[in-house]
Amino acid sequence: SKNFFKKQRLRSTSRPYFPDGVTHDNRHTEPFPIYINRAQGSKKWSVDEIELIDYWSGHGALLLGHSPPEIVEAVTQQMPRGTHYGACHALEVEWGGLVQELIPSAERIRFVNSGTEATLMAIRLARMHTGKNKFLKFAGHFHGWHDSVILGVNPPFETPVPGIPESVIDTTVICPPNDIDAVEKQLKSDPDIACVILEPTGGAFGTIPTNGEFLRQLRQITQDHGVILIFDEVISGFRVSPGGAQGYYNITPDLTTLAKILAGGLPGGAVAGKEELLNLISIKASKSNSRGQRMPHPGTFNANPLSAAAGIAMLRQVKTGVPHEKVNRSAKMLREGLVDVIDQHKLDWAVYGEFSGVKFLIGHGVDGLRAADFDPYNWEPHH
């Protein structure tokens, strides 16, 4: 089509450079990817100047929409001052202070460059602290793409991921989501589990929803068994509430992983949590812990000034709570409107979600069930 000429041309041009011509699995679409030229607010424009409403929000990294003036100004002012000092700087201190102020579990913080790096660090800290090797995760919960956590993300959940050694697979325990009895059984029967990690709003930001009752049960049972609890708030952090899901539900994990909104739409991540756990990174840790060890952690772009400047501007807005009221209200209005349309046409579809999430289920398979009556907590897929 003439309207998509530039997309077709870019697809052909990109294929010799990238596998499938894309740089992210989710961007592989047929007959060609969506190529964006610019974005502002809730809109983005393709290279063919087709205007699109953006519900993807930068994989969840954008709370204020595209190019909010506060972030643009902060980055523009910082750019000529330097993007990589290779040294400590005042911006990282202010950024860390805002994280500690907002996130209840953040006694200490370490900046990294992505959510994947954050979960990698959190699990390693838990193993070091407990002296145990395994960790427990839930089917359908995403924690990045490093070897341990990529297992059990997509159905069929038991299918192994190529390229991961059996020795790594053996250290990953996968439980059904929201099944506290299964968790308790695993923790009772396996003394080698160091930590439990989950998305506290449910897998894929509530595609497989969870709730505060399950989180409270999980907090209690991990404490009872001396197991570290990790909230992966890469998506929910600063989105559900200024204090993330843990602030909303008033449940404090031992460790928290953060990214996305943390850096205002630029690359950046962090691990926050108990002082005794984060201080295992300290060069003084080898003198103060029983094993005489510390966890090394370099990282070329950790807390780089550009991401720090954007993160500070973002978290100042987060502190007000105003963005959350707006996005939650908009998402609720959208969900309710879609449900009305679905029921008017008597489709076996459903739209659900909490906070700013909007989830579609095409073909729920339950005869006579109206979209308005759909309960994601009590629905099971029909095969």
Side-chain angles (χ1 to χ4, degrees):
S1 169
K2 183 178 179 180
N3 289 337
F4 302 109
F5 173 75
K6 290 184 179 179
K7 288 192 184 75
Q8 292 171 325
R9 187 177 63 187
L10 280 170
R11 183 197 191 199
S12 298
T13 304
S14 67
R15 280 184 163 178
Y17 307 144
F18 314 126
D20 293 327
V22 297
T23 56
H24 188 295
D25 282 359
N26 290 345
R27 295 171 195 162
H28 178 247
T29 56
E30 295 293 346
F32 40 74
I34 298 172
Y35 288 95
I36 299 300
N37 184 50
R38 58 192 172 91
Q40 181 69 51
S42 62
K43 306 286 183 64
K44 53 190 179 185
W45 287 262
S46 73
V47 291
D48 296 293
E49 284 301 314
I50 296 172
E51 181 182 294
L52 304 169
I53 300 174
D54 185 14
Y55 294 104
W56 193 237
S57 300
H59 301 264
L62 307 178
L63 185 63
L64 304 177
H66 292 282
S67 304
E70 303 91 345
I71 307 296
V72 172
E73 182 181 2
V75 172
T76 302
Q77 288 183 355
Q78 180 57 39
M79 181 69 77
R81 300 170 69 91
T83 63
H84 196 305
Y85 299 143
C88 299
H89 52 89
L91 290 172
E92 67 185 9
V93 178
E94 184 177 357
W95 196 18
L98 285 164
V99 173
Q100 190 176 79
E101 179 182 349
L102 292 166
I103 298 297
S105 64
E107 295 178 10
R108 292 289 185 275
I109 303 109
R110 185 73 161 206
F111 287 112
V112 294
N113 295 294
S114 69
T116 290
E117 285 190 28
T119 59
L120 178 65
M121 172 182 282
I123 292 169
R124 188 176 295 176
L125 287 171
R127 285 172 167 156
M128 184 176 174
H129 178 76
T130 62
K132 301 173 182 180
N133 297 301
K134 297 180 181 179
F135 80 100
L136 186 151
K137 63 165 293 187
F138 295 93
H141 286 229
F142 180 73
H143 306 294
W145 58 271
H146 58 87
D147 283 4
S148 297
V149 296
I150 196 62
L151 301 167
V153 172
N154 298 311
F157 298 117
E158 65 278 3
T159 302
V161 177
I164 299 179
E166 285 292 331
S167 58
V168 173
I169 295 173
D170 290 343
T171 64
T172 304
V173 178
I174 303 173
C175 273
N178 303 320
D179 190 338
I180 199 65
D181 292 334
V183 176
E184 185 171 23
K185 181 179 178 180
Q186 287 288 349
L187 297 188
K188 282 183 176 180
S189 63
D190 193 340
D192 199 29
I193 295 177
C195 60
V196 174
I197 187 171
L198 84 161
E199 295 182 69
T201 51
F205 192 49
T207 300
I208 306 171
T210 191
N211 55 46
E213 180 183 0
F214 178 74
L215 296 177
R216 282 185 283 275
Q217 292 173 330
L218 192 61
R219 174 66 285 186
Q220 186 60 57
I221 201 171
T222 51
Q223 287 177 332
D224 292 345
H225 288 271
V227 172
I228 301 299
L229 179 60
I230 304 170
F231 275 10
D232 183 351
E233 297 229 46
V234 166
I235 297 177
S236 60
F238 311 115
R239 174 170 290 278
V240 168
S241 77
Q246 60 193 266
Y248 179 84
Y249 290 113
N250 194 28
I251 299 169
T252 305
D254 301 299
L255 290 171
T256 300
T257 55
L258 299 163
K260 297 188 186 291
I261 291 172
L262 169 73
L266 270 66
V271 177
K274 288 186 174 179
E275 179 179 358
E276 62 181 313
L277 294 173
L278 267 295
N279 275 354
L280 293 173
I281 301 169
S282 167
I283 59 174
K284 298 178 181 179
S286 61
K287 300 176 182 179
S288 61
N289 72 66
S290 59
R291 295 182 184 84
Q293 299 173 328
R294 67 172 292 262
M295 193 196 104
H297 178 244
T300 300
F301 291 98
N302 294 345
N304 71 84
L306 208 58
S307 293
I312 290 167
M314 179 73 254
L315 296 188
R316 286 174 179 169
Q317 294 298 310
V318 165
K319 278 178 62 174
T320 69
V322 173
H324 312 84
E325 295 175 5
K326 181 178 180 180
V327 297
N328 290 350
R329 182 173 60 250
S330 297
K332 183 175 184 290
M333 181 177 65
L334 179 60
R335 291 193 300 263
E336 291 174 349
L338 289 168
V339 164
D340 288 343
V341 172
I342 289 167
D343 283 342
Q344 287 173 16
H345 291 272
K346 298 181 180 179
L347 302 172
D348 68 334
W349 296 9
V351 173
Y352 63 98
E354 294 182 294
F355 311 110
S356 58
V358 180
K359 307 297 178 180
F360 283 85
L361 177 59
I362 309 299
H364 54 60
V366 181
D367 292 338
L369 177 65
R370 297 169 62 246
D373 299 324
F374 178 78
D375 181 1
Y377 291 99
N378 294 313
W379 178 82
E380 292 185 3
H382 293 70
H383 299 288

